[in-house]
C-alpha cells in the first residue's frame, strides 16, 4: 500500500467507526416500549417523519452498487448507462398514488410485507407465499451486490488480497453491520443514512465541479469519450443512443421504475413512515437523489477522459469494472478527500444491505415461518425469528461473494429485477381492483417467471464470453413464440422484464375470464374500500406493536 | 375491531384531474425527442441536459398534484 492509500484507509476507518457507534446507539433512538415486535424492530415503530424517511428511503434506493455500477456502465457502453436517470425520474409520478393506498391499507391491518397485503386482499396464503419467495429470491443477490460495491472500494484502497483471505475486510465490515442490525433493527440504517447521504452529497458536488475543471471541461470530456467509443468494434456504444437500443433504454427505465417499489426493502422504508403526508412530501423531494445519480453517472465519462482503468480483482484474477469510479477518485482527489469519497460509497453499501436483510427477514417471518411453521407465534417470537433471519441472510450474501464468482451476483441481480416485476399484478394492480382472480394471478406469475428466465437464458454476451444470462437486452429477432418469430430480422432491443410482464398480464386476464365464467371462488377480501384512504389519526389504524 | 367506515367517509377511488399531471414526466421516455448532441450546454450534449431538465419537471408535477389534492384526499 502507498502512503496515499494509508491516508485513505485511515479516513475510511474513522468514518466507518462513527457509523458503527451510531448503529448501536440507534436502538435507543425514539425507542418504543419494546424492540421485541416486528413493528418496532422491522419498521422502526412506524413513526418516521418526512426527514427521516427521506434519508432512509434515499439511502435505500440509491445504493452503493448503483453509485459504482451506473458510472461503470457509462464508462463501458456510453449513453445506455444513463437510463438510471429516466428510471428514477418517472419512478415517483408512477408510484405516487398506488404507494399511498398501500401505506393506508397496511397501516389499518398491520401489514409488514407486501405478501401480508396480498394474503389479506385475497385470503390466499399460497399467493402470499409465492410473493414472499419471489421477494426473498430477488433481494438476496441485491444484498450481495452491495458487497460488490463495498469491495470495489476496499480493493481500490489497497486491501486487494488474493483468495478467500482477500475477502477478510469485507467479512469484518459485514460482521459489524450484522450485529448492530440485529440489535437495533430498522433504526440503525435510518440513523446511519444521515451520515451516508451527507457524505454522498458533499462528494458528488465537489466531484462534478472539480473534476471537469481539472479534466478540461465537459465538452472535452464528452469528445474524448466519443473518440474512445468510435475506436471500439462494438456499434452499440457511444455518447448517444442508436436506432437499436432506444427501445431497450425506454423499457429498461420504465421496467426498473415499475419494479423498484415491488422490492420488499423499498416498501419497508415506506411502511415505516408515520402518515400519507410524509410519503407525499418524499415523492416530491426524493428526486434530489436522482439528480445526484445523474451527475455521478456522468463521472463515467470523466473516468474515460482521465484515463482511469479498472483494478484487477486479485480474488478472481479479472479486472473489476466497478472500480473505475473509486480509481478516478483516488487519482484525482487529495488522499484525505478520496478517503471521504470511499467512505461515502462504503457506508452507502451498509444502509441498503441492512434494510434489505430486514425486509427479507420480515418476509420469512410473516409469510413462511408464521404461516407454515409456527402458526401461533407470539409477536416476541416473530421478532426473534426475524432477527435471526436477518443474520442468516447477511451471511448468506457474504458467503455468496466469497465462495462464488461475484459475476454471478450481478447476473442474479439482473434476474431479480425481471422476476420481481412479475409480482406487479398481484401487489400493485390489486390495490385498485379485485377483478383479477387469485388463481389467474398465480398463473400469470408462473408464466411471466418461466418466460422471463428462459429469455434471459437465451441472451449471450460475446464481450464477456458468456453464452447465457449475458444481459437484460433481448434482440427482437430472437423473440420466439413456440418457434414463430414475429420480429424476424429486427435488431431492435427490448428489456426482458417488460416482455415477460406483458405475457404475465395476458395470462392473468385470460385465466380470470375463464374462472369468472365457471364461477370459481375468488377468496375473501379482508380489506374494505375505505381502508385505502386511512391516514394518521384515523381511529381505524391498528395500534403499533399491539398484540 | 370493526373495519366499517364511519358514515360520510369516502371510499372507492378518489379521482382528481390534477392527477393527470403525473403523466407529464413520462415524456422523458420518448427518447427521439432529445437523442441529439447539439446544442450543447456547458459542454453537455442535449441528450444529457434535456434529461436533467426533466428532474425539476417531475418534481413540479408531483408537487402540484400533492398541493392541489390535499383537501379531497381522505
Amino acid at each position: 500500500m502507498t502512503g496515499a492509500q494509508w491516508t485513505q484507509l485511515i479516513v475510511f476507518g474513522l468514518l466507518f467507526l462513527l457509523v458503527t457507534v451510531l448503529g448501536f446507539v440507534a436502538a435507543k433512538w425514539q425507542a418504543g416500549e419494546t424492540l421485541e415486535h416486528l413493528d418496532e424492530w422491522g419498521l422502526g415503530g412506524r413513526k418516521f417523519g418526512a426527514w427521516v424517511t427521506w434519508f432512509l428511503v434515499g439511502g435505500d434506493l440509491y445504493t452503493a452498487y448503483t453509485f459504482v455500477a451506473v458510472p461503470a456502465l457509462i464508462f463501458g457502453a456510453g449513453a445506455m448507462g444513463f437510463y438510471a436517470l429516466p428510471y428514477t425520474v418517472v419512478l415517483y409520478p408512477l408510484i405516487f398514488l398506488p404507494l399511498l393506498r398501500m401505506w393506508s391499507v397496511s397501516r389499518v391491518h398491520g401489514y409488514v410485507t407486501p405478501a401480508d397485503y396480498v394474503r389479506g386482499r385475497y385470503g390466499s396464503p399460497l399467493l402470499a407465499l409465492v410473493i414472499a419467495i419471489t421477494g426473498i429470491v430477488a433481494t438476496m443477490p441485491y444484498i450481495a451486490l452491495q458487497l460488490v460495491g463495498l469491495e470495489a472500494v476496499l480493493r481500490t484502497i489497497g486491501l486487494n488480497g488474493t483468495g478467500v483471505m482477500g475477502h477478510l475486510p469485507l467479512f469484518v465490515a459485514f460482521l459489524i453491520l450484522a450485529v448492530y442490525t440485529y440489535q437495533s433493527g430498522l433504526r440503525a440504517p435510518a440513523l446511519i443514512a444521515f451520515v451516508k447521504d451527507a457524505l454522498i452529497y458533499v462528494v458528488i458536488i465537489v466531484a462534478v465541479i472539480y473534476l471537469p475543471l481539472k479534466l478540461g471541461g465537459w465538452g472535452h470530456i464528452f469528445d474524448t469519450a466519443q473518440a474512445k467509443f468510435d475506436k471500439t468494434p462494438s456499434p452499440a456504444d457511444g455518447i448517444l443512443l442508436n436506432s437499436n437500443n432506444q427501445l431497450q433504454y425506454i423499457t429498461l427505465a420504465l421496467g426498473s421504475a415499475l419494479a423498484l417499489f415491488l422490492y420488499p426493502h423499498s416498501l419497508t422504508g415506506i411502511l415505516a413512515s408515520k402518515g400519507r403526508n410524509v410519503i407525499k412530501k418524499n415523492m416530491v423531494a426524493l428526486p434530489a437523489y436522482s439528480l445526484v445519480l445523474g451527475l455521478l453517472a456522468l463521472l463515467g465519462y470523466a473516468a474515460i477522459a482521465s484515463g482511469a482503468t479498472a483494478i484487477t480483482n486479485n480474488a478472481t484474477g479479472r479486472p473489476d469494472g466497478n472500480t473505475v469510479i473509486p480509481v478516478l477518485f483516488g487519482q484525482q482527489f487529495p488522499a484525505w478527500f478520496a478517503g471521504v469519497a470511499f467512505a461515502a460509497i462504503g457506508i452507502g453499501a451498509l444502509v441498503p444491505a441492512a434494510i434489505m436483510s430486514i425486509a427479507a427477514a420480515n418476509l420469512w417471518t410473516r409469510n413462511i415461518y408464521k404461516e407454515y411453521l409456527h402458526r401461533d407465534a407470539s409477536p416476541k417470537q416473530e421478532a426473534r425469528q426475524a432477527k435471526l433471519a436477518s443474520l442468516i441472510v447477511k451471511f448468506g450474501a457474504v458467503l455468496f461473494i466469497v465462495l462464488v464468482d461475484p459475476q454471478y451476483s450481478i447476473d442474479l441481480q439482473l434476474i431479480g429485477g425481471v422476476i420481481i416485476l412479475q409480482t406487479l399484478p398481484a401487489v400493485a394492480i390489486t390495490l385498485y381492483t379485485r377483478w383479477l382472480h387469485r388463481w389467474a394471478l398465480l398463473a400469470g406469475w408462473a408464466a411471466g417467471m418461466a418466460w422471463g428466465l428462459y429469455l434471459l437464458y437465451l441472451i449471450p454476451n460475446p464481450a464477456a464470453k458468456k453464452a447465457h444470462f449475458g444481459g437484460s437486452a433481448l434482440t427482437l429477432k430472437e423473440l420466439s413464440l413456440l418457434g414463430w418469430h414475429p420480429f424476424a430480422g429486427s435488431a431492435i432491443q427490448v428489456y426482458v422484464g417488460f416482455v415477460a410482464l406483458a405475457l404475465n398480464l395476458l395470462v392473468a386476464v385470460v385465466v380470470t375470464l375463464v374462472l369468472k365464467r365457471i364461477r370459481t371462488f375468488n377468496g375473501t377480501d379482508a380489506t374494505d374500500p375505505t381502508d385505502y384512504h386511512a391516514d394518521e389519526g384515523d381511529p381505524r389504524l391498528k395500534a403499533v406493536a399491539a398484540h | 375491531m370493526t373495519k366499517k367506515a364511519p358514515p360520510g367517509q369516502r371510499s372507492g377511488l378518489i379521482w382528481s384531474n390534477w392527477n393527470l399531471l403525473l403523466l407529464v414526466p413520462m415524456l422523458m421516455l420518448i427518447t427521439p425527442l432529445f437523442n441529439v448532441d447539439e446544442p450543447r450546454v456547458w459542454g453537455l450534449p442535449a441528450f444529457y441536459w434535456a434529461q436533467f431538465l426533466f428532474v425539476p419537471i417531475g418534481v413540479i408535477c408531483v408537487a402540484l398534484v400533492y398541493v392541489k389534492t390535499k383537501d379531497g384526499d381522505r
Side-chain angles (χ1 to χ4, degrees):
Chain A
M1 283 176 62
T2 64
Q5 283 176 323
W6 276 113
T7 314
Q8 291 166 6
L9 183 62
I10 290 167
V11 175
F12 181 92
L14 286 175
L15 287 167
F16 194 88
L17 191 69
L18 169 69
V19 297
T20 303
V21 173
L22 282 181
F24 283 107
V25 172
K28 300 255 159 43
W29 179 46
Q30 300 189 350
E33 277 176 26
T34 172
L35 258 177
E36 303 286 315
H37 191 292
L38 272 195
D39 274 353
E40 291 292 340
W41 183 83
L43 289 178
R46 294 191 189 249
K47 63 182 172 200
F48 289 149
W51 277 102
V52 180
T53 303
W54 187 71
F55 280 108
L56 180 70
V57 176
D60 188 16
L61 303 188
Y62 301 82
T63 67
Y65 177 69
T66 327
F67 284 152
V68 296
V70 167
L73 195 58
I74 294 239
F75 179 86
M80 189 61 217
F82 207 60
Y83 85 93
L85 189 64
Y87 157 27
T88 53
V89 170
V90 301
L91 170 66
Y92 301 104
L94 267 181
I95 57 155
F96 183 78
L97 298 172
L99 218 46
L100 293 170
R101 291 175 73 84
M102 180 58 103
W103 181 88
S104 291
V105 71
S106 301
R107 195 61 189 73
V108 169
H109 294 274
Y111 300 147
V112 180
T113 69
D116 279 351
Y117 155 72
V118 171
R119 189 190 190 291
R121 182 68 154 158
Y122 277 95
S124 168
L126 179 64
L127 192 56
L129 177 70
V130 160
I131 301 297
I133 291 177
T134 314
I136 292 171
V137 170
T139 306
M140 287 288 290
Y142 217 160
I143 302 174
L145 275 193
Q146 301 312 316
L147 295 167
V148 172
L150 181 56
E151 201 171 56
V153 169
L154 292 172
R155 292 198 184 272
T156 310
I157 293 179
L159 301 173
N160 190 4
T162 54
V164 172
M165 283 305 285
H167 295 290
L168 194 64
L170 193 68
F171 190 75
V172 174
F174 241 55
L175 183 68
I176 297 170
L177 172 72
V179 174
Y180 64 66
T181 311
Y182 180 90
Q183 195 200 320
S184 308
L186 193 64
R187 285 183 173 85
L191 205 51
I192 293 172
F194 282 91
V195 179
K196 175 229 157 183
D197 293 337
L199 290 177
I200 289 276
Y201 278 104
V202 169
V203 169
I204 300 306
I205 290 166
V206 170
V208 296
I209 295 172
Y210 175 79
L211 290 178
L213 285 176
K214 210 174 163 197
L215 297 169
W218 282 116
H220 173 71
I221 289 173
F222 274 96
D223 292 338
T224 315
Q226 187 56 51
K228 175 203 150 181
F229 292 130
D230 285 344
K231 275 191 225 132
T232 62
S234 164
D237 55 12
I239 61 169
L240 294 180
L241 297 172
N242 57 56
S243 55
N244 285 339
N245 65 9
Q246 289 203 40
L247 186 63
Q248 160 75 356
Y249 188 87
I250 296 164
T251 50
L252 183 58
L254 184 58
S256 307
L258 291 171
L260 188 56
F261 273 88
L262 297 170
Y263 275 106
H265 66 271
S266 316
L267 222 45
T268 299
I270 293 297
L271 295 186
S273 61
K274 81 175 173 213
R276 289 167 71 101
N277 264 328
V278 169
I279 301 170
K280 290 182 196 170
K281 283 179 190 158
N282 269 284
M283 294 296 110
V284 178
L286 277 168
Y289 288 93
S290 309
L291 201 61
V292 167
L293 180 60
L295 292 170
L296 194 69
L298 293 184
L299 295 184
Y301 290 130
I304 295 177
S306 78
T309 49
I311 289 177
T312 299
N313 181 330
N314 283 339
T316 62
R318 281 196 317 265
D320 177 358
N322 289 321
T323 54
V324 290
I325 288 303
V327 167
L328 175 74
F329 288 168
Q331 285 175 350
Q332 304 292 333
F333 286 146
W336 69 270
F337 193 72
V340 173
F342 293 161
I345 298 174
I347 298 168
L350 302 182
V351 174
I355 305 173
M356 286 168 191
S357 67
I358 289 171
N362 288 348
L363 280 172
W364 160 260
T365 307
R366 297 279 298 188
N367 309 108
I368 299 174
Y369 169 74
K370 190 174 165 72
E371 188 75 61
Y372 291 99
L373 303 177
H374 193 168
R375 274 195 165 266
D376 44 357
S378 68
K380 193 172 176 177
Q381 284 170 319
E382 276 186 51
R384 229 189 119 64
Q385 183 69 207
K387 286 170 146 189
L388 285 173
S390 83
L391 287 184
I392 293 168
V393 165
K394 274 202 224 53
F395 281 99
V398 173
L399 283 183
F400 208 85
I401 291 293
V402 172
L403 300 179
V404 190
D405 190 322
Q407 182 58 42
Y408 286 109
S409 49
I410 297 171
D411 296 349
L412 282 174
Q413 150 67 2
L414 200 70
I415 297 169
V418 171
I419 69 172
I420 200 72
L421 200 51
Q422 307 314 316
T423 64
L424 180 123
V427 176
I429 294 179
T430 62
L431 285 170
Y432 286 91
T433 170
R434 238 175 136 266
W435 184 81
L436 288 169
H437 197 282
R438 55 179 184 170
W439 290 107
L441 289 167
L442 267 176
W445 172 86
M449 289 285 275
W451 208 40
L453 288 175
Y454 172 69
L455 290 175
L456 283 170
Y457 174 81
L458 288 185
I459 296 173
N461 185 345
K465 296 192 179 60
K466 289 170 55 165
H468 304 292
F469 297 113
S472 64
L474 175 76
T475 309
L476 279 180
K477 67 180 173 199
E478 310 284 346
L479 187 71
S480 119
L481 298 168
L482 304 172
W484 174 54
H485 293 261
F487 301 101
S490 171
I492 292 176
Q493 293 181 317
V494 64
Y495 176 49
V496 168
F498 217 72
V499 181
L501 180 62
L503 178 75
N504 181 337
L505 286 169
L506 183 72
V507 170
V509 168
V510 170
V511 176
T512 296
L513 288 172
V514 173
L515 292 176
K516 297 240 160 175
R517 175 63 65 86
I518 58 173
R519 295 172 195 272
T520 311
F521 179 55
N522 193 17
T524 315
D525 187 0
T527 69
D528 182 272
T530 54
D531 296 346
Y532 296 84
H533 301 285
D535 203 351
E536 53 188 308
D538 197 311
R540 289 175 308 140
L541 298 190
K542 191 168 180 181
V544 171
H547 287 256
Chain B
M1 181 173 158
T2 172
K3 299 277 195 265
K4 274 277 165 271
Q9 182 146 18
R10 300 175 65 178
S11 69
L13 275 185
I14 297 173
W15 178 256
S16 156
N17 281 335
W18 286 102
N19 291 349
L20 291 173
L21 271 180
L22 297 176
L23 293 174
V24 174
M26 303 301 143
L27 287 174
M28 194 180 183
L29 294 172
I30 307 176
T31 49
L33 289 178
F34 47 77
N35 191 26
V36 287
D37 193 330
E38 305 283 341
R40 288 191 174 192
V41 174
W42 294 312
L44 289 186
F47 179 74
Y48 297 91
W49 64 254
Q51 295 192 71
F52 274 116
L53 211 57
F54 270 98
V55 178
I57 292 175
V59 168
I60 290 167
C61 290
V62 176
L64 271 175
V65 175
Y66 167 41
V67 173
K68 292 293 179 184
T69 59
K70 248 183 182 167
D71 307 324
D73 177 65
R74 278 295 308 213

